[in-house]
Amino acid sequence: MIEISASKIPEREKKDHFSTNSDNCEINIDNNSKKYLITPDFEPMIKIIYWNSLGFFFFGFIIPWVTAQLMDASGTELGFVVASQTVGGLISSPIVGYLTDKISKKKLVLIGSTGRGFAYVIMYFGICFTSIYVFAIGIFIQGLTVGYFWTPLNALIAQKSHKTYRASAFGKQGGMIGKGNLVGSIITFSYFGLMNFLVPNQIWLIYIPLLFYMCFNVFAGLKFYHEVDEKLTFDNYIKSLKDSSLAHLIDSTEEIMVRGDKNQAEIQPSVARKGLIIGLTFLMFAFFVAAINQSLTRPFLQVFLTETMQIQNGFIVMLIYFPSEVLSQLLAPKLGEQADKLNASIGVVIISGFGALITWFLISTNSPIIFGLILIFDTTFAWGGNLIFQNLLSRVSKNNRGKVFGLQNWITLLGAVAGPILGGLLWDNFTHKTPFLMSIFIELLLIPLFLLAIYKLNPFIEEKIDKKKTRDLIK
């Protein structure tokens, strides 16, 4: 537990970094004091995620690889195996969203972390017995418990950071995931490649890293539970400093009640609630379509790669995938800083437009090296878009962040169930490029969908941001 008092930051240091203009109450903070836009325990909390992230790449890689190559499943079967993870999440997400706002977030994170570890064990036995059903059950359990990790964690990240620094805060989370992924991937690369060379038929030995990652997840969950102080919110931290020059970092009750950019007139609660529901409905529909698009082609990228370029060695396929999965996450902190400065509407146009173009390049190349380089751009743009919308969602309601994140996760998972199944049907009944061509069309469709959703929701967001003040604050 970390206790905060005004003495933690010397008065001279605060005066050097913080200044206010009494006429317009704008806050100017120099580069050295960005750390004051998050609570002192934010960095230690984020660092714990490193241990959870060690097995992320291996887990994501082996689902389509084991299903398609080891178990010789059809495209439709592969789609259903991948969808089993999201079905588990669909069941748990509404429950977790409600619980996040009601009970200890640390307990929920502990459940999610240990549950993921248990799922790794089930998957390992499914592989050892070459049972697609046991393997799918492990993936289902992973989906069932993982929501207990991300939803409360995202809520904690939001409540421990200032609204103008929110995408950067989520970017720090992504950066720590990238570091864990990097180390875990290097270990996996070395071990997986060596075992495939020495004992290619001993699958119980080749996939034993799943058991090691189980131990890391249990350790991370216990460490998180014992070391994170969920009562230390950003607002409480600023108040504890007892410095009037920092008071404007917290939205007052009057600021929260005021709506409208022109007249600053108050909107009746019933009207505001209705407008918020309508705006969220449009946004969630856009998330649903985006989830279909993301999961439409992801399970088939490896198979497309092996068929198009005749690469059957699992280690080579992993080597092509490795940079895209890890580098985009390592870049997440920098992406978050840019996302904080970027208008959400402009961000949508850039992310979706380039996403469609990148998909076209991806299916047009016959070079494994170029394929890997394009994947880096693809995942980097995806991370950038994710940070933009995490920022937006975290500001919708300060007291209902768990419900908002839980709803978004549920809607995303619903789309992720439909995506692999639709992709599998297109894969089996048309050309193997058809899912990717469909993805390009959907990517472009997302531009007007998200723009409309942002337009409808923006007037009713609780934590509103003046973009000019934001640029002054974090530049």
Side-chain angles (χ1 to χ4, degrees):
M1 304 280 277
I2 300 175
E3 295 182 359
I4 303 300
S5 66
S7 62
K8 294 290 184 181
I9 302 177
E11 289 297 325
R12 180 177 179 180
E13 184 179 351
K14 286 186 285 186
K15 290 178 181 179
D16 289 342
H17 294 298
F18 295 89
S19 64
T20 60
N21 184 314
S22 59
D23 295 329
N24 55 23
C25 296
E26 289 187 16
I27 307 162
N28 297 305
I29 302 178
D30 66 29
N31 288 331
N32 292 326
S33 44
K34 288 180 181 178
K35 60 184 178 181
Y36 299 123
L37 297 178
I38 52 179
T39 61
D41 70 332
F42 182 89
E43 295 286 356
M45 178 185 74
I46 291 299
K47 287 179 180 178
I48 298 173
I49 302 173
Y50 168 86
W51 298 103
N52 295 98
S53 309
L54 289 168
F56 281 5
F57 177 76
F58 190 60
F59 172 79
F61 172 80
I62 66 171
I63 292 178
W65 179 260
V66 167
T67 306
Q69 304 297 324
L70 184 62
M71 300 180 181
D72 197 27
S74 68
T76 303
E77 287 175 325
L78 174 58
F80 276 103
V81 169
V82 174
S84 65
Q85 180 185 11
T86 52
V87 171
L90 281 172
I91 296 172
S92 64
S93 288
I95 301 172
V96 177
Y98 175 79
L99 293 177
T100 297
D101 295 325
K102 297 295 182 180
I103 66 173
S104 170
K105 298 176 181 62
K106 294 194 302 181
K107 291 181 180 179
L108 295 174
V109 171
L110 176 61
I111 293 172
S113 192
T114 54
R116 187 205 301 273
F118 177 70
Y120 284 165
V121 176
I122 301 298
M123 290 174 59
Y124 175 74
F125 283 111
I127 294 172
C128 290
F129 292 107
T130 322
S131 172
I132 193 171
Y133 300 107
V134 175
F135 187 65
I137 289 172
I139 296 172
F140 169 77
I141 294 175
Q142 197 272 349
L144 191 69
T145 56
V146 74
Y148 284 85
F149 183 85
W150 291 116
T151 298
L153 177 61
N154 287 338
L156 283 169
I157 290 173
Q159 73 182 36
K160 290 178 177 291
S161 59
H162 188 254
K163 63 183 181 181
T164 60
Y165 198 67
R166 199 63 53 72
S168 297
F170 283 110
K172 288 177 178 290
Q173 175 198 43
M176 194 53 60
I177 293 173
K179 291 177 181 179
N181 234 337
L182 176 62
V183 174
S185 299
I186 291 174
I187 296 173
T188 301
F189 265 131
S190 305
Y191 183 85
F192 193 77
L194 183 63
M195 290 300 103
N196 268 287
F197 176 75
L198 296 177
V199 285
N201 297 320
Q202 301 298 321
I203 58 175
W204 66 272
L205 195 58
I206 293 174
Y207 294 95
I208 206 170
L210 284 171
L211 300 184
F212 295 130
Y213 295 137
M214 177 273 294
C215 297
F216 289 136
N217 272 271
V218 173
F219 168 77
L222 293 171
K223 186 175 177 67
F224 192 97
Y225 182 77
H226 288 294
E227 296 186 9
V228 173
D229 182 2
E230 61 184 309
K231 293 182 180 179
L232 180 61
T233 65
F234 179 81
D235 289 356
N236 291 339
Y237 165 56
I238 295 300
K239 290 175 183 177
S240 73
L241 299 178
K242 296 182 175 61
D243 189 331
S244 60
S245 68
L246 308 182
H248 301 295
L249 286 170
I250 306 175
D251 286 337
S252 66
T253 303
E254 289 75 16
E255 287 177 306
I256 292 175
M257 292 296 293
V258 172
R259 293 294 184 266
D261 295 330
K262 294 182 179 180
N263 300 323
Q264 296 294 303
E266 292 186 6
I267 295 178
Q268 294 296 324
S270 59
V271 177
R273 180 179 177 82
K274 182 179 179 180
L276 182 64
I277 292 174
I278 293 174
L280 273 175
T281 300
F282 277 97
L283 184 62
M284 293 304 156
F285 177 71
F287 273 123
F288 173 72
V289 177
I292 291 177
N293 179 61
Q294 269 194 331
S295 57
L296 184 69
T297 58
R298 181 60 60 180
F300 307 100
L301 276 173
Q302 292 180 16
V303 187
F304 183 82
L305 179 62
T306 57
E307 288 188 353
T308 303
M309 302 172 195
Q310 300 299 310
I311 301 175
Q312 301 300 323
N313 188 300
F315 179 76
I316 299 298
V317 174
M318 188 182 291
L319 189 63
I320 294 172
Y321 261 74
F322 173 72
S324 66
E325 292 294 325
V326 175
L327 289 180
S328 60
Q329 293 167 344
L330 292 175
L331 290 172
K334 292 297 182 183
L335 292 173
E337 292 178 7
Q338 299 305 313
D340 276 324
K341 302 175 185 178
L342 191 64
N343 180 282
S345 298
I346 296 175
V348 166
V349 175
I350 294 174
I351 296 298
S352 295
F354 275 96
L357 186 62
I358 288 171
T359 302
W360 173 258
F361 286 143
L362 197 66
I363 62 175
S364 301
T365 182
N366 290 316
S367 167
I369 296 177
I370 295 178
F371 190 92
L373 290 174
I374 294 174
L375 273 182
I376 294 175
F377 286 99
D378 187 41
T379 53
T380 299
F381 273 100
W383 260 104
N386 182 50
L387 293 174
I388 290 173
F389 285 105
Q390 280 185 309
N391 182 328
L392 181 66
L393 286 169
S394 71
R395 296 186 287 106
V396 171
S397 173
K398 294 177 72 172
N399 295 324
N400 296 285
R401 286 191 176 116
K403 296 182 182 68
V404 173
F405 279 122
L407 177 61
Q408 183 266 336
N409 190 45
W410 189 82
I411 291 294
T412 299
L413 290 171
L414 190 65
V417 171
I421 295 174
L422 175 60
L425 293 173
L426 293 173
W427 181 273
D428 287 339
N429 294 290
F430 298 92
T431 70
H432 287 184
K433 283 189 176 183
T434 305
F436 299 93
L437 295 174
M438 177 65 72
S439 176
I440 293 173
F441 171 76
I442 296 176
E443 193 88 46
L444 296 175
L445 178 64
L446 284 173
I447 296 177
L449 285 179
F450 271 119
L451 290 179
L452 178 61
I454 294 170
Y455 173 77
K456 290 289 186 180
L457 181 62
N458 194 57
F460 308 99
I461 291 177
E462 188 171 296
E463 288 187 301
K464 296 180 70 67
I465 291 179
D466 184 321
K467 282 297 177 184
K468 181 180 182 301
K469 291 183 181 181
T470 301
R471 287 193 293 270
D472 293 339
L473 188 65
I474 64 176
K475 68 183 178 180

